[in-house]
Amino acid sequence: TALEDRDQAIRILRQGVERMPQSFLIRNRLGWDLYVSERFTEAAEHLQWCATRRPGDKPLQDAAAQATKQSL
């Protein structure tokens, strides 16, 4: 199912972050997948990390702020 596929993707992306913690692409994808899965606390961590590196990316900034707000 789509949910199982997303969970598997999240597991793989987490491993990617462990191996390459400075990878914007991996953290960005993980953050968005977590956001869509409503795992806001963990999504906020990765989206905020990415947002600090791309201050001009409005959708990313908005998602990071929303994930942070939802995680409180």
Side-chain angles (χ1 to χ4, degrees):
T1 67
L3 181 58
E4 290 170 344
D5 290 346
R6 184 173 312 274
D7 285 344
Q8 182 177 1
I10 288 170
R11 282 192 298 276
I12 291 167
L13 289 163
R14 283 180 179 144
Q15 291 173 358
V17 169
E18 287 177 20
R19 292 183 180 131
M20 297 174 32
Q22 298 301 314
S23 172
F24 177 89
L25 293 175
I26 294 171
R27 282 184 176 261
N28 188 51
R29 182 73 261 153
L30 177 56
W32 281 106
D33 281 356
L34 290 164
Y35 184 87
V36 170
S37 298
E38 298 182 359
R39 299 177 196 180
F40 296 115
T41 301
E42 191 178 358
E45 174 190 346
H46 297 289
L47 293 173
Q48 286 290 351
W49 186 93
C50 291
T52 61
R53 286 150 179 83
R54 298 270 172 92
D57 186 330
K58 177 99 169 87
L60 178 57
Q61 298 295 321
D62 292 346
Q66 186 64 28
T68 300
K69 180 180 175 183
Q70 292 292 330
S71 70
L72 299 178

Short mmCIF file of all heavy atoms in Angstrom, two decimals:
data_model
loop_
_atom_site.label_atom_id
_atom_site.label_comp_id
_atom_site.label_asym_id
_atom_site.label_seq_id
_atom_site.Cartn_x
_atom_site.Cartn_y
_atom_site.Cartn_z
N THR A 1 0.84 -1.19 0.00
CA THR A 1 0.00 0.00 0.00
C THR A 1 0.88 1.25 0.00
O THR A 1 2.08 1.17 0.27
CB THR A 1 -0.92 0.04 1.24
OG1 THR A 1 -0.11 0.21 2.40
CG2 THR A 1 -1.78 -1.22 1.36
N ALA A 2 0.26 2.37 -0.26
CA ALA A 2 1.00 3.64 -0.30
C ALA A 2 1.59 3.98 1.06
O ALA A 2 2.72 4.48 1.15
CB ALA A 2 0.08 4.76 -0.78
N LEU A 3 0.85 3.67 2.12
CA LEU A 3 1.35 3.95 3.47
C LEU A 3 2.59 3.12 3.78
O LEU A 3 3.57 3.63 4.33
CB LEU A 3 0.25 3.68 4.50
CG LEU A 3 0.61 3.96 5.96
CD1 LEU A 3 1.05 5.40 6.15
CD2 LEU A 3 -0.57 3.64 6.85
N GLU A 4 2.57 1.86 3.42
CA GLU A 4 3.72 0.99 3.64
C GLU A 4 4.91 1.46 2.82
O GLU A 4 6.05 1.44 3.31
CB GLU A 4 3.38 -0.45 3.30
CG GLU A 4 2.41 -1.09 4.28
CD GLU A 4 1.89 -2.43 3.80
OE1 GLU A 4 2.00 -2.75 2.59
OE2 GLU A 4 1.34 -3.16 4.64
N ASP A 5 4.66 1.90 1.59
CA ASP A 5 5.73 2.42 0.74
C ASP A 5 6.35 3.66 1.36
O ASP A 5 7.58 3.82 1.37
CB ASP A 5 5.21 2.75 -0.66
CG ASP A 5 4.85 1.51 -1.46
OD1 ASP A 5 5.24 0.39 -1.06
OD2 ASP A 5 4.17 1.67 -2.49
N ARG A 6 5.52 4.56 1.89
CA ARG A 6 6.04 5.78 2.51
C ARG A 6 6.85 5.44 3.76
O ARG A 6 7.91 5.99 3.99
CB ARG A 6 4.92 6.75 2.86
CG ARG A 6 5.46 8.07 3.41
CD ARG A 6 4.43 9.13 3.61
NE ARG A 6 3.56 9.30 2.47
CZ ARG A 6 3.80 10.08 1.41
NH1 ARG A 6 4.91 10.76 1.35
NH2 ARG A 6 2.93 10.19 0.43
N ASP A 7 6.35 4.51 4.56
CA ASP A 7 7.09 4.10 5.76
C ASP A 7 8.45 3.51 5.40
O ASP A 7 9.45 3.78 6.05
CB ASP A 7 6.28 3.10 6.58
CG ASP A 7 5.13 3.74 7.35
OD1 ASP A 7 5.13 4.99 7.50
OD2 ASP A 7 4.23 3.00 7.79
N GLN A 8 8.48 2.72 4.35
CA GLN A 8 9.74 2.15 3.90
C GLN A 8 10.68 3.26 3.41
O GLN A 8 11.87 3.25 3.72
CB GLN A 8 9.53 1.13 2.79
CG GLN A 8 10.82 0.49 2.33
CD GLN A 8 10.63 -0.59 1.29
OE1 GLN A 8 9.52 -0.87 0.87
NE2 GLN A 8 11.72 -1.18 0.86
N ALA A 9 10.15 4.20 2.66
CA ALA A 9 10.96 5.33 2.18
C ALA A 9 11.53 6.11 3.36
O ALA A 9 12.71 6.49 3.35
CB ALA A 9 10.13 6.24 1.28
N ILE A 10 10.71 6.34 4.38
CA ILE A 10 11.17 7.07 5.56
C ILE A 10 12.30 6.30 6.25
O ILE A 10 13.31 6.90 6.65
CB ILE A 10 9.99 7.36 6.51
CG1 ILE A 10 9.10 8.45 5.90
CG2 ILE A 10 10.48 7.76 7.90
CD1 ILE A 10 7.78 8.67 6.62
N ARG A 11 12.18 5.00 6.38
CA ARG A 11 13.25 4.20 6.99
C ARG A 11 14.55 4.33 6.20
O ARG A 11 15.62 4.52 6.78
CB ARG A 11 12.84 2.73 7.08
CG ARG A 11 11.89 2.42 8.22
CD ARG A 11 11.74 0.91 8.45
NE ARG A 11 11.17 0.22 7.30
CZ ARG A 11 9.86 0.12 7.04
NH1 ARG A 11 8.99 0.67 7.85
NH2 ARG A 11 9.45 -0.54 5.99
N ILE A 12 14.45 4.26 4.90
CA ILE A 12 15.64 4.35 4.05
C ILE A 12 16.25 5.75 4.13
O ILE A 12 17.47 5.91 4.22
CB ILE A 12 15.29 3.98 2.59
CG1 ILE A 12 14.98 2.48 2.52
CG2 ILE A 12 16.43 4.35 1.64
CD1 ILE A 12 14.32 2.05 1.22
N LEU A 13 15.40 6.77 4.12
CA LEU A 13 15.90 8.14 4.21
C LEU A 13 16.55 8.41 5.56
O LEU A 13 17.56 9.13 5.63
CB LEU A 13 14.77 9.13 3.94
CG LEU A 13 14.30 9.18 2.49
CD1 LEU A 13 12.95 9.86 2.39
CD2 LEU A 13 15.33 9.87 1.62
N ARG A 14 16.02 7.86 6.62
CA ARG A 14 16.65 8.01 7.95
C ARG A 14 18.07 7.42 7.92
O ARG A 14 18.99 7.99 8.49
CB ARG A 14 15.82 7.33 9.02
CG ARG A 14 14.61 8.10 9.43
CD ARG A 14 13.85 7.36 10.51
NE ARG A 14 12.68 8.10 10.95
CZ ARG A 14 11.53 7.54 11.30
NH1 ARG A 14 11.39 6.23 11.26
NH2 ARG A 14 10.53 8.29 11.71
N GLN A 15 18.21 6.26 7.29
CA GLN A 15 19.54 5.66 7.16
C GLN A 15 20.46 6.57 6.36
O GLN A 15 21.64 6.71 6.67
CB GLN A 15 19.44 4.29 6.50
CG GLN A 15 18.77 3.24 7.35
CD GLN A 15 18.53 1.94 6.60
OE1 GLN A 15 18.83 1.80 5.41
NE2 GLN A 15 17.96 0.96 7.28
N GLY A 16 19.90 7.18 5.32
CA GLY A 16 20.68 8.11 4.51
C GLY A 16 21.17 9.31 5.32
O GLY A 16 22.32 9.72 5.18
N VAL A 17 20.32 9.83 6.19
CA VAL A 17 20.71 10.96 7.03
C VAL A 17 21.81 10.52 8.01
O VAL A 17 22.75 11.28 8.27
CB VAL A 17 19.50 11.55 7.79
CG1 VAL A 17 19.93 12.53 8.86
CG2 VAL A 17 18.55 12.23 6.81
N GLU A 18 21.71 9.30 8.53
CA GLU A 18 22.76 8.80 9.42
C GLU A 18 24.10 8.74 8.70
O GLU A 18 25.13 9.07 9.28
CB GLU A 18 22.40 7.41 9.94
CG GLU A 18 21.30 7.41 10.97
CD GLU A 18 20.92 6.01 11.42
OE1 GLU A 18 21.74 5.07 11.23
OE2 GLU A 18 19.81 5.85 11.95
N ARG A 19 24.07 8.33 7.46
CA ARG A 19 25.31 8.17 6.69
C ARG A 19 25.81 9.49 6.11
O ARG A 19 27.02 9.67 5.96
CB ARG A 19 25.10 7.16 5.57
CG ARG A 19 24.89 5.77 6.09
CD ARG A 19 24.76 4.76 4.97
NE ARG A 19 24.57 3.44 5.54
CZ ARG A 19 23.62 2.60 5.17
NH1 ARG A 19 22.78 2.92 4.21
NH2 ARG A 19 23.52 1.43 5.74
N MET A 20 24.89 10.37 5.75
CA MET A 20 25.25 11.63 5.11
C MET A 20 24.44 12.78 5.74
O MET A 20 23.53 13.32 5.12
CB MET A 20 25.00 11.55 3.60
CG MET A 20 25.85 10.51 2.93
SD MET A 20 25.52 10.18 1.17
CE MET A 20 24.99 11.71 0.51
N PRO A 21 24.76 13.14 6.98
CA PRO A 21 23.94 14.11 7.71
C PRO A 21 23.92 15.51 7.09
O PRO A 21 23.02 16.29 7.40
CB PRO A 21 24.56 14.13 9.11
CG PRO A 21 25.93 13.58 8.94
CD PRO A 21 25.87 12.64 7.78
N GLN A 22 24.85 15.81 6.22
CA GLN A 22 24.88 17.13 5.59
C GLN A 22 24.19 17.17 4.23
O GLN A 22 24.24 18.18 3.53
CB GLN A 22 26.34 17.60 5.44
CG GLN A 22 27.06 17.76 6.76
CD GLN A 22 26.37 18.75 7.69
OE1 GLN A 22 25.99 19.84 7.27
NE2 GLN A 22 26.19 18.38 8.94
N SER A 23 23.52 16.08 3.86
CA SER A 23 22.86 16.03 2.56
C SER A 23 21.52 16.77 2.59
O SER A 23 20.55 16.33 3.22
CB SER A 23 22.61 14.58 2.13
OG SER A 23 21.81 14.54 0.95
N PHE A 24 21.48 17.88 1.88
CA PHE A 24 20.24 18.65 1.77
C PHE A 24 19.15 17.80 1.12
O PHE A 24 18.02 17.78 1.58
CB PHE A 24 20.46 19.93 0.97
CG PHE A 24 19.19 20.72 0.79
CD1 PHE A 24 18.82 21.67 1.72
CD2 PHE A 24 18.38 20.50 -0.31
CE1 PHE A 24 17.64 22.38 1.58
CE2 PHE A 24 17.20 21.22 -0.47
CZ PHE A 24 16.83 22.15 0.48
N LEU A 25 19.48 17.12 0.04
CA LEU A 25 18.48 16.36 -0.71
C LEU A 25 17.82 15.28 0.14
O LEU A 25 16.60 15.12 0.10
CB LEU A 25 19.10 15.74 -1.96
CG LEU A 25 19.54 16.73 -3.04
CD1 LEU A 25 20.26 16.00 -4.17
CD2 LEU A 25 18.37 17.52 -3.57
N ILE A 26 18.62 14.56 0.90
CA ILE A 26 18.06 13.48 1.72
C ILE A 26 17.21 14.06 2.84
O ILE A 26 16.08 13.61 3.08
CB ILE A 26 19.18 12.58 2.30
CG1 ILE A 26 19.89 11.84 1.16
CG2 ILE A 26 18.61 11.59 3.31
CD1 ILE A 26 21.14 11.10 1.60
N ARG A 27 17.72 15.07 3.53
CA ARG A 27 16.96 15.67 4.63
C ARG A 27 15.67 16.33 4.13
O ARG A 27 14.64 16.26 4.79
CB ARG A 27 17.80 16.70 5.36
CG ARG A 27 18.79 16.09 6.31
CD ARG A 27 19.49 17.22 7.06
NE ARG A 27 20.38 16.74 8.05
CZ ARG A 27 20.09 16.66 9.35
NH1 ARG A 27 18.91 17.02 9.78
NH2 ARG A 27 20.98 16.22 10.20
N ASN A 28 15.74 16.95 2.97
CA ASN A 28 14.56 17.60 2.41
C ASN A 28 13.48 16.56 2.10
O ASN A 28 12.31 16.72 2.48
CB ASN A 28 14.95 18.39 1.17
CG ASN A 28 13.82 19.24 0.64
OD1 ASN A 28 13.20 20.01 1.37
ND2 ASN A 28 13.55 19.10 -0.64
N ARG A 29 13.86 15.50 1.43
CA ARG A 29 12.89 14.45 1.09
C ARG A 29 12.32 13.82 2.36
O ARG A 29 11.12 13.57 2.46
CB ARG A 29 13.58 13.38 0.22
CG ARG A 29 12.68 12.27 -0.24
CD ARG A 29 11.72 12.72 -1.33
NE ARG A 29 10.43 13.02 -0.75
CZ ARG A 29 9.54 13.87 -1.25
NH1 ARG A 29 9.79 14.53 -2.35
NH2 ARG A 29 8.39 14.07 -0.68
N LEU A 30 13.19 13.54 3.34
CA LEU A 30 12.73 12.95 4.59
C LEU A 30 11.76 13.90 5.30
O LEU A 30 10.70 13.49 5.77
CB LEU A 30 13.92 12.62 5.50
CG LEU A 30 13.58 12.06 6.89
CD1 LEU A 30 12.72 10.82 6.79
CD2 LEU A 30 14.87 11.79 7.65
N GLY A 31 12.12 15.16 5.36
CA GLY A 31 11.25 16.14 6.00
C GLY A 31 9.88 16.20 5.38
O GLY A 31 8.86 16.21 6.07
N TRP A 32 9.84 16.23 4.05
CA TRP A 32 8.54 16.29 3.36
C TRP A 32 7.74 15.00 3.56
O TRP A 32 6.52 15.05 3.77
CB TRP A 32 8.72 16.58 1.87
CG TRP A 32 8.99 18.03 1.61
CD1 TRP A 32 10.18 18.59 1.26
CD2 TRP A 32 8.04 19.11 1.67
NE1 TRP A 32 10.02 19.95 1.12
CE2 TRP A 32 8.72 20.29 1.35
CE3 TRP A 32 6.68 19.17 1.97
CZ2 TRP A 32 8.10 21.54 1.32
CZ3 TRP A 32 6.06 20.42 1.94
CH2 TRP A 32 6.76 21.58 1.62
N ASP A 33 8.40 13.85 3.49
CA ASP A 33 7.68 12.58 3.71
C ASP A 33 7.11 12.51 5.12
O ASP A 33 5.98 12.06 5.32
CB ASP A 33 8.58 11.39 3.43
CG ASP A 33 8.74 11.08 1.95
OD1 ASP A 33 8.09 11.76 1.13
OD2 ASP A 33 9.51 10.17 1.62
N LEU A 34 7.89 12.95 6.10
CA LEU A 34 7.40 12.98 7.48
C LEU A 34 6.25 13.97 7.63
O LEU A 34 5.27 13.70 8.32
CB LEU A 34 8.54 13.34 8.43
CG LEU A 34 9.61 12.26 8.59
CD1 LEU A 34 10.86 12.86 9.22
CD2 LEU A 34 9.09 11.10 9.41
N TYR A 35 6.36 15.10 6.96
CA TYR A 35 5.31 16.13 7.02
C TYR A 35 3.99 15.58 6.48
O TYR A 35 2.95 15.69 7.11
CB TYR A 35 5.76 17.35 6.23
CG TYR A 35 4.81 18.51 6.29
CD1 TYR A 35 4.88 19.43 7.33
CD2 TYR A 35 3.85 18.70 5.31
CE1 TYR A 35 4.01 20.52 7.38
CE2 TYR A 35 2.97 19.77 5.36
CZ TYR A 35 3.05 20.67 6.39
OH TYR A 35 2.19 21.73 6.44
N VAL A 36 4.06 14.95 5.33
CA VAL A 36 2.87 14.37 4.70
C VAL A 36 2.28 13.27 5.58
O VAL A 36 1.07 13.08 5.63
CB VAL A 36 3.20 13.85 3.28
CG1 VAL A 36 2.07 13.02 2.70
CG2 VAL A 36 3.53 15.01 2.36
N SER A 37 3.15 12.57 6.31
CA SER A 37 2.71 11.51 7.21
C SER A 37 2.26 12.05 8.57
O SER A 37 1.95 11.27 9.47
CB SER A 37 3.85 10.51 7.43
OG SER A 37 4.20 9.91 6.21
N GLU A 38 2.26 13.36 8.70
CA GLU A 38 1.84 14.04 9.94
C GLU A 38 2.72 13.69 11.13
O GLU A 38 2.27 13.67 12.27
CB GLU A 38 0.36 13.80 10.24
CG GLU A 38 -0.54 14.35 9.14
CD GLU A 38 -2.01 14.17 9.43
OE1 GLU A 38 -2.38 13.62 10.49
OE2 GLU A 38 -2.82 14.61 8.58
N ARG A 39 3.96 13.41 10.88
CA ARG A 39 4.96 13.19 11.95
C ARG A 39 5.71 14.51 12.12
O ARG A 39 6.88 14.64 11.75
CB ARG A 39 5.89 12.05 11.56
CG ARG A 39 5.14 10.73 11.36
CD ARG A 39 6.07 9.64 10.92
NE ARG A 39 5.33 8.52 10.37
CZ ARG A 39 5.91 7.42 9.90
NH1 ARG A 39 7.22 7.28 9.94
NH2 ARG A 39 5.17 6.45 9.40
N PHE A 40 5.01 15.48 12.67
CA PHE A 40 5.46 16.86 12.62
C PHE A 40 6.71 17.14 13.44
O PHE A 40 7.54 17.96 13.03
CB PHE A 40 4.32 17.79 13.05
CG PHE A 40 3.16 17.75 12.11
CD1 PHE A 40 1.93 17.27 12.54
CD2 PHE A 40 3.28 18.16 10.80
CE1 PHE A 40 0.84 17.23 11.68
CE2 PHE A 40 2.20 18.11 9.92
CZ PHE A 40 0.98 17.65 10.37
N THR A 41 6.87 16.49 14.56
CA THR A 41 8.05 16.76 15.39
C THR A 41 9.33 16.43 14.64
O THR A 41 10.26 17.24 14.57
CB THR A 41 7.98 15.99 16.73
OG1 THR A 41 6.79 16.40 17.41
CG2 THR A 41 9.20 16.26 17.58
N GLU A 42 9.37 15.24 14.07
CA GLU A 42 10.56 14.84 13.32
C GLU A 42 10.67 15.62 12.01
O GLU A 42 11.76 16.01 11.60
CB GLU A 42 10.56 13.34 13.05
CG GLU A 42 11.88 12.84 12.52
CD GLU A 42 11.94 11.34 12.28
OE1 GLU A 42 10.95 10.64 12.55
OE2 GLU A 42 12.98 10.88 11.80
N ALA A 43 9.55 15.87 11.36
CA ALA A 43 9.57 16.65 10.12
C ALA A 43 10.15 18.04 10.37
O ALA A 43 10.95 18.54 9.57
CB ALA A 43 8.16 16.77 9.55
N ALA A 44 9.75 18.65 11.49
CA ALA A 44 10.22 20.01 11.80
C ALA A 44 11.75 20.05 11.88
O ALA A 44 12.37 20.99 11.37
CB ALA A 44 9.61 20.49 13.11
N GLU A 45 12.33 19.05 12.49
CA GLU A 45 13.80 19.01 12.62
C GLU A 45 14.47 19.09 11.25
O GLU A 45 15.38 19.90 11.02
CB GLU A 45 14.22 17.74 13.34
CG GLU A 45 15.71 17.53 13.39
CD GLU A 45 16.11 16.15 13.89
OE1 GLU A 45 15.27 15.43 14.44
OE2 GLU A 45 17.30 15.80 13.72
N HIS A 46 14.02 18.27 10.33
CA HIS A 46 14.67 18.19 9.01
C HIS A 46 14.29 19.37 8.13
O HIS A 46 15.14 19.91 7.41
CB HIS A 46 14.34 16.86 8.34
CG HIS A 46 14.87 15.71 9.13
ND1 HIS A 46 16.21 15.41 9.22
CD2 HIS A 46 14.24 14.79 9.90
CE1 HIS A 46 16.39 14.36 9.99
NE2 HIS A 46 15.21 13.96 10.42
N LEU A 47 13.04 19.77 8.18
CA LEU A 47 12.62 20.92 7.36
C LEU A 47 13.27 22.21 7.84
O LEU A 47 13.67 23.04 7.01
CB LEU A 47 11.10 21.04 7.35
CG LEU A 47 10.37 19.89 6.63
CD1 LEU A 47 8.86 20.02 6.84
CD2 LEU A 47 10.71 19.85 5.15
N GLN A 48 13.42 22.38 9.15
CA GLN A 48 14.11 23.57 9.66
C GLN A 48 15.57 23.57 9.24
O GLN A 48 16.12 24.60 8.86
CB GLN A 48 14.00 23.65 11.19
CG GLN A 48 12.65 24.04 11.70
CD GLN A 48 12.31 25.49 11.41
OE1 GLN A 48 13.13 26.29 10.97
NE2 GLN A 48 11.06 25.83 11.64
N TRP A 49 16.21 22.42 9.31
CA TRP A 49 17.60 22.30 8.88
C TRP A 49 17.74 22.74 7.42
O TRP A 49 18.62 23.51 7.08
CB TRP A 49 18.07 20.85 9.06
CG TRP A 49 19.52 20.60 8.80
CD1 TRP A 49 20.53 20.61 9.71
CD2 TRP A 49 20.13 20.30 7.53
NE1 TRP A 49 21.73 20.34 9.08
CE2 TRP A 49 21.51 20.15 7.74
CE3 TRP A 49 19.65 20.17 6.23
CZ2 TRP A 49 22.41 19.85 6.73
CZ3 TRP A 49 20.53 19.87 5.21
CH2 TRP A 49 21.90 19.71 5.46
N CYS A 50 16.83 22.26 6.59
CA CYS A 50 16.85 22.63 5.17
C CYS A 50 16.51 24.10 4.97
O CYS A 50 17.12 24.78 4.14
CB CYS A 50 15.88 21.75 4.38
SG CYS A 50 16.39 20.03 4.27
N ALA A 51 15.54 24.60 5.72
CA ALA A 51 15.09 25.97 5.57
C ALA A 51 16.20 26.97 5.87
O ALA A 51 16.28 28.02 5.22
CB ALA A 51 13.87 26.24 6.45
N THR A 52 17.06 26.65 6.82
CA THR A 52 18.17 27.56 7.11
C THR A 52 19.18 27.63 5.97
O THR A 52 19.88 28.62 5.82
CB THR A 52 18.92 27.16 8.41
OG1 THR A 52 19.48 25.86 8.24
CG2 THR A 52 18.00 27.19 9.61
N ARG A 53 19.18 26.61 5.15
CA ARG A 53 20.11 26.56 4.01
C ARG A 53 19.49 27.09 2.71
O ARG A 53 20.20 27.33 1.75
CB ARG A 53 20.61 25.13 3.83
CG ARG A 53 21.62 24.78 4.91
CD ARG A 53 21.63 23.32 5.26
NE ARG A 53 22.62 23.04 6.29
CZ ARG A 53 22.41 23.22 7.60
NH1 ARG A 53 21.25 23.67 8.03
NH2 ARG A 53 23.37 22.93 8.47
N ARG A 54 18.17 27.25 2.71
CA ARG A 54 17.47 27.79 1.53
C ARG A 54 16.45 28.84 1.97
O ARG A 54 15.24 28.62 1.89
CB ARG A 54 16.74 26.67 0.79
CG ARG A 54 17.64 25.58 0.24
CD ARG A 54 18.09 25.88 -1.18
NE ARG A 54 19.10 24.95 -1.63
CZ ARG A 54 18.87 23.82 -2.28
NH1 ARG A 54 17.64 23.48 -2.58
NH2 ARG A 54 19.87 23.04 -2.65
N PRO A 55 16.93 29.98 2.45
CA PRO A 55 16.02 30.99 2.99
C PRO A 55 15.05 31.56 1.96
O PRO A 55 14.00 32.09 2.33
CB PRO A 55 16.95 32.06 3.54
CG PRO A 55 18.26 31.84 2.88
CD PRO A 55 18.33 30.37 2.55
N GLY A 56 15.34 31.43 0.68
CA GLY A 56 14.46 31.96 -0.35
C GLY A 56 13.38 30.99 -0.82
O GLY A 56 12.56 31.34 -1.67
N ASP A 57 13.38 29.79 -0.29
CA ASP A 57 12.43 28.76 -0.70
C ASP A 57 11.16 28.88 0.16
O ASP A 57 11.08 28.33 1.25
CB ASP A 57 13.06 27.38 -0.54
CG ASP A 57 12.21 26.25 -1.09
OD1 ASP A 57 10.97 26.37 -1.09
OD2 ASP A 57 12.80 25.23 -1.50
N LYS A 58 10.18 29.63 -0.35
CA LYS A 58 8.97 29.94 0.42
C LYS A 58 8.19 28.68 0.82
O LYS A 58 7.81 28.55 1.98
CB LYS A 58 8.09 30.90 -0.37
CG LYS A 58 6.76 31.23 0.29
CD LYS A 58 6.83 32.56 1.00
CE LYS A 58 5.47 33.03 1.44
NZ LYS A 58 5.07 32.52 2.74
N PRO A 59 7.93 27.73 -0.08
CA PRO A 59 7.20 26.52 0.34
C PRO A 59 7.93 25.76 1.46
O PRO A 59 7.31 25.26 2.39
CB PRO A 59 7.10 25.68 -0.93
CG PRO A 59 7.19 26.67 -2.04
CD PRO A 59 8.14 27.74 -1.53
N LEU A 60 9.25 25.70 1.36
CA LEU A 60 10.04 25.03 2.39
C LEU A 60 9.95 25.80 3.71
O LEU A 60 9.75 25.20 4.77
CB LEU A 60 11.49 24.90 1.95
CG LEU A 60 12.47 24.27 2.93
CD1 LEU A 60 12.01 22.88 3.35
CD2 LEU A 60 13.86 24.23 2.32
N GLN A 61 10.08 27.11 3.66
CA GLN A 61 9.96 27.93 4.86
C GLN A 61 8.59 27.74 5.52
O GLN A 61 8.49 27.59 6.74
CB GLN A 61 10.17 29.42 4.52
CG GLN A 61 11.53 29.76 3.97
CD GLN A 61 12.65 29.54 4.95
OE1 GLN A 61 12.52 29.81 6.14
NE2 GLN A 61 13.77 29.03 4.47
N ASP A 62 7.56 27.76 4.69
CA ASP A 62 6.19 27.60 5.22
C ASP A 62 5.99 26.22 5.85
O ASP A 62 5.40 26.10 6.92
CB ASP A 62 5.15 27.81 4.11
CG ASP A 62 5.10 29.25 3.63
OD1 ASP A 62 5.64 30.15 4.29
OD2 ASP A 62 4.48 29.47 2.57
N ALA A 63 6.49 25.18 5.19
CA ALA A 63 6.34 23.82 5.73
C ALA A 63 7.13 23.66 7.03
O ALA A 63 6.63 23.04 7.97
CB ALA A 63 6.80 22.79 4.70
N ALA A 64 8.32 24.23 7.08
CA ALA A 64 9.12 24.15 8.30
C ALA A 64 8.39 24.85 9.46
O ALA A 64 8.32 24.30 10.56
CB ALA A 64 10.49 24.78 8.08
N ALA A 65 7.83 26.02 9.19
CA ALA A 65 7.11 26.75 10.22
C ALA A 65 5.86 25.99 10.66
O ALA A 65 5.56 25.89 11.86
CB ALA A 65 6.74 28.14 9.72
N GLN A 66 5.13 25.44 9.71
CA GLN A 66 3.90 24.71 10.02
C GLN A 66 4.21 23.43 10.80
O GLN A 66 3.51 23.09 11.75
CB GLN A 66 3.13 24.39 8.75
CG GLN A 66 1.78 23.76 8.98
CD GLN A 66 0.81 24.69 9.71
OE1 GLN A 66 0.89 25.90 9.62
NE2 GLN A 66 -0.11 24.12 10.43
N ALA A 67 5.26 22.71 10.40
CA ALA A 67 5.63 21.48 11.11
C ALA A 67 6.03 21.82 12.54
O ALA A 67 5.66 21.09 13.48
CB ALA A 67 6.76 20.77 10.38
N THR A 68 6.77 22.90 12.70
CA THR A 68 7.20 23.32 14.04
C THR A 68 5.97 23.66 14.88
O THR A 68 5.84 23.23 16.04
CB THR A 68 8.15 24.51 13.97
OG1 THR A 68 9.31 24.11 13.22
CG2 THR A 68 8.57 24.98 15.35
N LYS A 69 5.05 24.40 14.31
CA LYS A 69 3.83 24.78 15.02
C LYS A 69 3.01 23.55 15.41
O LYS A 69 2.52 23.45 16.55
CB LYS A 69 2.99 25.71 14.13
CG LYS A 69 1.72 26.18 14.75
CD LYS A 69 0.96 27.10 13.80
CE LYS A 69 -0.39 27.48 14.36
NZ LYS A 69 -1.15 28.30 13.42
N GLN A 70 2.87 22.61 14.50
CA GLN A 70 2.09 21.39 14.76
C GLN A 70 2.77 20.48 15.79
O GLN A 70 2.08 19.69 16.44
CB GLN A 70 1.87 20.61 13.47
CG GLN A 70 0.97 21.28 12.47
CD GLN A 70 -0.47 21.36 12.94
OE1 GLN A 70 -0.95 20.51 13.69
NE2 GLN A 70 -1.16 22.40 12.54
N SER A 71 4.07 20.60 15.94
CA SER A 71 4.78 19.72 16.86
C SER A 71 4.71 20.22 18.30
O SER A 71 5.06 19.48 19.22
CB SER A 71 6.24 19.56 16.44
OG SER A 71 6.96 20.76 16.63
N LEU A 72 4.26 21.44 18.50
CA LEU A 72 4.20 22.00 19.86
C LEU A 72 2.99 21.52 20.63
O LEU A 72 2.01 21.13 20.14
CB LEU A 72 4.19 23.53 19.80
CG LEU A 72 5.42 24.15 19.15
CD1 LEU A 72 5.27 25.66 19.09
CD2 LEU A 72 6.69 23.78 19.88
#
